[in-house]
Amino acid sequence: MAITQVGATQTFPFADGSTGHVCDFGSAPAAGQWDVLCVNSNTIVTTPSGWTLTRSRVANQGAYVYTRQSAGGEGQTVTLTTSGNHNTQATWTRWAGADVIDIADHAS
């Protein structure tokens, strides 16, 4: 099976994350599909429940990459919590046909 993107990439800009900002992907993943969530923020971003922090770089701006592989039963939303109400942007994609997702490590 080829690795394919499922649906369209979505972005979620917000500045109200200190109490948790809900991002709705529009549908729940099928078992085996991968969700990849990239978040940039002026604040610290807490790893969402059920997700793995795959890569991060934090200096003047924080960049975080989270992944999760669906076992089935995951919801279509994720709540992102930041340490303050600052400008934040999350970008999400979903992938099918992959055994693993490898996020390359790069210099800051």
Side-chain angles (χ1 to χ4, degrees):
M1 172 190 275
I3 298 171
T4 57
Q5 184 175 349
V6 178
T9 300
Q10 294 183 37
T11 58
F12 304 92
F14 60 93
D16 62 349
S18 66
T19 58
H21 182 87
V22 177
C23 300
D24 188 335
F25 304 146
S27 66
Q33 291 181 335
W34 286 89
D35 286 326
V36 178
L37 186 63
C38 302
V39 183
N40 288 78
S41 183
N42 284 335
T43 64
I44 296 169
V45 180
T46 302
T47 302
S49 177
W51 293 72
T52 300
L53 176 61
T54 305
R55 295 279 187 254
S56 68
R57 289 284 188 251
V58 179
N60 295 325
Q61 176 82 16
Y64 305 83
V65 179
Y66 302 101
T67 58
R68 74 172 178 187
Q69 185 178 27
S70 176
E74 289 82 1
Q76 71 181 42
T77 64
V78 65
T79 301
L80 295 176
T81 305
T82 62
S83 61
N85 289 329
H86 295 275
N87 291 334
T88 301
Q89 178 145 333
T91 302
W92 163 83
T93 58
R94 180 169 288 153
W95 300 89
D99 293 327
V100 297
I101 296 290
D102 185 26
I103 308 298
D105 196 14
H106 295 283
S108 298

